[in-house]
Amino acid sequence: MKKKILITGSSGFLGSRLAHYYKEKYDLLLPTHRELNISREEAVKTYLEEHRPDVVIHCAALSNTWYCEQHPDESHRVNVQGSVRIAKACKLTGAKLLFMSSDQVYNGTPQLGPLKEGVSLLPVNIYGQHKLEAEQRVQWNLPESVGLRLTWMYDLPDSSMKLNSNLLVNLRKANNEGITIHVATHEYRGVTYVWEVVKQMEKTLSLPRGIYNFGSGNTLNSHALHLKAAQLMGLKEPSEWILPDNNRFSEQTRNLTMDCALIEKQGIHFQDSVEGIKEAMQRPFRTV
């Protein structure tokens, strides 16, 4: 019998790709927002009691950091309270819970270099604060849960599936429209090909409980990474329209890069950001 897996947020950027990739292998539950509104505790409880999934992959979230900053109450209701409701329902029904967190929990950490899961965290933006609170409260309600801290993810700009505002899409748009962009030199963060996250997700079903960094590492500052990505995409003269911003984050370097040694011990490995982009451009995942 196929394992029954509920994917929340299955119409979103990550959730839709998980649903596509695993549709033949597992018995998937892909409720719409109307069918499963995570803002309503009784609705969440009723849905899980009725459908009894073996695993819940919780992707539903408000992930636009600017929007969350402007709408903190809504962000808390979805990103924190919604996750707690899912955790409580999983505890009630015995479902294993995998929930998505973010590298934004590291936003504000003064330490440089790849950051381990146990580093002291003081996120400076609403989204990071709420993702950290969600981690803590989900783990308190369901200690056996598994949380994955994801980087900024991307897909190829010509993908037939839903796209977010990601590195490659933004570069293609700026290049096509003749827009000059300024990118911080005092910022470091990894970016991950979404299909690598999707393909590795199956291995997380057997992970021991806890929080894991889950994505590509990176040693380049954001300006250098943008230049390299544009070169790999074959965009013309990137140094003429991707300019360095030496002022942003100059008082304290913004570092979101993650040390993934913990997940690697579990047999899950991601390439670094540049190698990941290179491979994505050479061997893109085909959805048909």
Side-chain angles (χ1 to χ4, degrees):
M1 181 179 294
K2 292 182 179 179
K3 191 184 294 288
K4 185 184 291 187
I5 298 180
L6 163 62
I7 301 175
T8 71
S10 61
S11 63
F13 180 71
L14 176 59
S16 62
R17 287 162 174 80
L18 289 169
H20 176 87
Y21 192 75
Y22 292 111
K23 61 185 177 182
E24 302 298 333
K25 188 163 187 178
Y26 298 105
D27 179 9
L28 298 183
L29 298 169
L30 308 172
T32 64
H33 176 71
R34 181 186 295 273
E35 293 168 331
L36 177 59
N37 184 346
I38 64 171
S39 296
R40 298 179 179 177
E41 186 163 357
E42 192 60 34
V44 174
K45 175 175 174 287
T46 299
Y47 187 92
L48 265 73
E49 284 184 322
E50 179 181 349
H51 294 279
R52 294 282 169 172
D54 300 299
V55 179
V56 176
I57 302 179
H58 180 44
C59 299
L62 288 176
S63 58
N64 184 306
T65 56
W66 181 89
Y67 185 90
C68 291
E69 207 69 27
Q70 304 302 312
H71 304 86
D73 291 342
E74 185 180 355
S75 173
H76 195 273
R77 185 166 60 251
V78 174
N79 292 331
V80 179
Q81 297 172 37
S83 298
V84 171
R85 292 185 186 103
I86 291 289
K88 288 180 177 179
C90 286
K91 184 175 183 178
L92 181 67
T93 60
K96 182 179 179 69
L97 174 60
L98 304 174
F99 66 95
M100 304 304 117
S101 187
S102 169
D103 61 0
Q104 288 291 332
V105 300
Y106 296 114
N107 192 352
T109 302
Q111 182 178 325
L112 299 180
L115 301 169
K116 294 181 180 293
E117 289 86 349
V119 71
S120 180
L121 298 173
L122 291 169
V124 296
N125 61 7
I126 291 294
Y127 181 70
Q129 292 166 10
H130 287 172
K131 279 298 186 179
L132 179 58
E133 183 181 349
E135 287 182 7
Q136 295 166 341
R137 292 180 60 181
V138 165
Q139 287 185 298
W140 188 87
N141 281 280
L142 188 62
E144 296 302 317
S145 61
V146 172
L148 305 177
R149 290 177 178 166
L150 305 176
T151 70
W152 191 19
M153 294 179 290
Y154 63 88
D155 201 352
L156 301 180
D158 58 356
S159 171
S160 61
M161 302 189 73
K162 179 178 181 177
L163 288 169
N164 62 356
S165 176
N166 67 66
L167 176 61
L168 304 192
V169 167
N170 295 350
L171 287 173
R172 173 74 65 82
K173 183 175 187 292
N175 181 72
N176 290 347
E177 297 179 4
I179 297 172
T180 297
I181 59 175
H182 297 79
V183 186
T185 58
H186 296 283
E187 178 187 55
Y188 294 83
R189 66 183 307 187
V191 294
T192 311
Y193 188 31
V194 65
W195 290 106
E196 288 304 307
V197 173
V198 168
K199 287 184 281 187
Q200 300 278 20
M201 192 65 68
E202 185 173 34
K203 298 178 182 177
T204 68
L205 301 181
S206 58
L207 283 177
R209 67 186 187 180
I211 301 294
Y212 298 87
N213 291 335
F214 199 77
S216 294
N218 175 47
T219 59
L220 300 179
N221 68 50
S222 286
H223 176 252
L225 181 61
H226 277 64
L227 286 175
K228 188 64 179 178
Q231 291 167 1
L232 291 171
M233 294 172 71
L235 304 180
K236 293 183 179 180
E237 305 297 340
S239 62
E240 295 183 0
W241 52 277
I242 303 175
L243 304 182
D245 183 342
N246 297 315
N247 294 318
R248 193 178 185 201
F249 310 124
S250 59
E251 293 186 3
Q252 179 178 305
T253 297
R254 185 181 191 232
N255 179 32
L256 308 183
T257 55
M258 302 191 303
D259 182 329
C260 288
L262 186 60
I263 201 72
E264 287 176 356
K265 289 179 180 178
Q266 300 295 327
I268 297 175
H269 176 75
F270 290 93
Q271 298 184 81
D272 100 334
S273 295
V274 171
E275 290 304 313
I277 294 170
K278 186 183 300 183
E279 182 165 317
M281 299 303 301
Q282 293 173 347
R283 294 196 298 274
F285 180 87
R286 300 300 180 187
T287 60
V288 294

